Amino acid sequence: MSQDYLKSALPSQIISERGSNLVVINPGSANIRIGLASQDTPFNIPHCIARHTKQTEGNVIDQMLNSHVVPEQHKEREKAYNTIASLLKIPFLDEEAPSNSVPRKMGRVDGHNPHIIRKNLPFTWTNVIEEAIDSSVSLETSSKGENGESSDPKEGTDSKDINASERKFKEFICGDEALRISPTEPYCICRPIRRGHLNISQHYSMQQVLDDLHTIWDWILIEKLHIPRNERNMYSAVLVMPETFDNREIKEIISLVLRELCFGSAVVHQEGIAAVFGNGLSTACVVNIGAQVTSLICIEDGGALPSTGKTLPFGGEDITRGLLWTQRHHQTWPQIRTDVFRKPVDLLMLNQLKETYCEIKEEEHDAVAVVHSYEDKGPPMSHKIRLTALNVPPMGLFYPKLLVPDVYPPPPRTWFHDYEDMLEDTWHIDFSRRSDMSDTFYPNVNGGLPMWESYPIFSAKPKKEEKVGLAEAITNCILSTGRIDIQRKLFCSIQLTGGVALTSGLVAAVEERVLHAIPPNEAIDTVEVLQSRTNPTFVSWKGGVILGVLDLGRDAWISREDWIHNGIHVGSSKKYKDSYYLQAQAMCYMNS
């Protein structure tokens, strides 16, 4: 599309012409947001897969989990709770509320946060048995996809009604239904992305991680977007990648999209940059609070400032586990075997409670709620309880010792530096140049460097995780720019993204605590969090739509043929040549 055309055409016209064959993919540790650019909102699907095992009895577990909390961490957690309690003006952890105090405030299901649709219904176990179909022909055509995968499992089918000799377990189950498999069923759940990185370890090989990603994404493309494999060469993919990903991870994802998933072309955009465009901005400090990790980066005039990037090793799931710990410590939780690791359905239930009731506010905040227990294959049991200290868990963002993130064995970090076996060793091969390719395409021509070594977005080394709270991280991120003019602008342009950004009271808490975290010798006296113009959960995906539809940085698009034959592609470092024009275009989309 020409610049003149983009200036004159209506956004709806551009989307109808360009968006129908553009798939925007924003992968995360817990969920993947994916959809056609022509959609208003993406599918938001749990990023996991459950595979059938040969064991007679299996567990739906994350193989790499180590959730043991050492005594020192427990003491730090209690200390963090009491610090938060002092700020919120509520009793300390082991302090009883005075008998003559005012009644505790009770929350309601339809209460404080208008963004959340309040449902507290029990989840149902997923049926893991293939349906028996009389006709073998209909079996092949209706219950199998193009790659032989099963169609969506139908709920409510009692496996006892099926003759034992005819019981056939589904080979794999993806997404939400994978999280609702009974732990007594012979399935093992795998999460190919964990804490902002590919979940590679000595027990979960790179090949298995990539196979699982391929299976999940292929299932989504067929079952949700209805794009068969033989038509994907007519589609392009926009990859909106988290800042936590490293160079080799990005290359593997591109190979997955172009080689295995057979897209015709692909482009990579940084999640933080996509977030500002999704809100019609060009400059902001983007704070993406995901399920398992929080990332921060400053964007100026549509371009990232790489030195400002920071990663915090906690997110929404840690708040959820903090909620459970708080209730158990106050002895308000019923005597049920709630285990977010052994039974992912318990994590779903707790996430629902967190999104419904947790908020940041002063004074005591309790609520009467219904929680559910899920035992083996039996129906869920309901328990009416009184949740307490509901304003404490989300404050763990500012005092992360309260959260005690779960501990995993560290991935083999040398994996990120091992380029010798990448893409058939294309890093050290002199390609014969095609006449239609520019000088910058080849890594060894005119002293050029491989794309991911010189790419301004993704670092060649794993990013160091910060051990500080959210307010300190935001302050350090902005002050690291080193320029008072941009610092003042960024402190008034903080953008919160991710599902946790919907937490009631979070905006005011961020503004207050960031202002107090700024050193007194800095000439900054105003802090403002910008209101999101779209759902914070999907704002980066929406930005990917805008960037893809506007066809920015044409030389950054990678064709399937070029990637397969040449392995790498050196793009221009000037992906955003006219930030003010692009901002105007983005604003036009937001207002349309």
Side-chain angles (χ1 to χ4, degrees), residues 111-118 502 504:
H112 46 267
N113 194 335
H115 297 284
I116 302 299
I117 298 175
R118 284 179 159 63
L502 293 169
S504 179

Side-chain angles (χ1 to χ4, degrees), residues 123-302:
F123 298 99
T124 57
W125 293 122
T126 296
N127 175 33
V128 298
I129 304 300
E130 292 277 15
E131 288 189 57
I133 301 178
D134 294 336
S135 171
S136 59
V137 175
S138 62
L139 176 64
E140 291 182 5
T141 57
S142 64
S143 71
K144 295 283 184 178
E146 197 176 34
N147 65 341
E149 65 189 23
S150 61
S151 59
D152 286 348
K154 293 186 178 180
E155 299 171 10
T157 302
D158 190 348
S159 59
K160 294 180 181 178
D161 294 339
I162 302 176
N163 189 299
S165 62
E166 298 176 358
R167 283 171 58 94
K168 181 182 179 183
F169 288 101
K170 294 171 182 175
E171 181 184 351
F172 65 86
I173 299 172
C174 297
D176 174 73
E177 288 175 325
L179 299 178
R180 294 187 286 106
I181 298 176
S182 168
T184 62
E185 300 287 7
Y187 281 83
C188 182
I189 192 168
C190 298
R191 298 175 176 88
I193 298 179
R194 183 200 67 207
R195 297 286 179 189
H197 286 286
L198 296 181
N199 192 4
I200 296 168
S201 70
Q202 59 180 344
H203 303 290
Y204 196 5
S205 70
M206 177 185 72
Q207 189 58 52
Q208 186 59 54
V209 167
L210 295 175
D211 284 348
D212 286 345
L213 275 177
H214 171 258
T215 303
I216 297 169
W217 293 17
D218 193 59
W219 173 79
I220 295 172
L221 290 169
I222 292 174
E223 298 296 330
K224 303 298 183 181
L225 299 182
H226 308 294
I227 304 175
R229 190 173 297 103
N230 59 3
E231 295 180 8
R232 286 189 205 148
N233 63 316
M234 297 183 291
Y235 289 80
S236 298
V238 179
L239 290 166
V240 181
M241 301 302 297
E243 281 77 12
T244 54
F245 272 59
D246 299 293
N247 293 347
R248 183 166 180 183
E249 293 174 307
I250 300 295
K251 291 184 289 186
E252 295 289 358
I253 296 295
I254 291 177
S255 286
L256 169 67
V257 166
L258 295 178
R259 288 175 179 265
E260 280 70 39
L261 295 177
C262 304
F263 277 94
S265 61
V267 69
V268 179
H269 286 296
Q270 190 173 4
E271 193 172 55
I273 293 176
V276 297
F277 279 95
N279 261 336
L281 306 169
S282 64
T283 298
C285 175
V286 179
V287 183
N288 183 13
I289 311 174
Q292 298 181 6
V293 72
T294 297
S295 58
L296 304 88
I297 194 162
C298 292
I299 311 296
E300 181 184 12
D301 292 334

Side-chain angles (χ1 to χ4, degrees), residues 30-42:
N31 298 284
I32 176 172
R33 292 152 292 276
I34 182 171
L36 291 167
S38 54
Q39 295 177 212
D40 291 332
T41 57

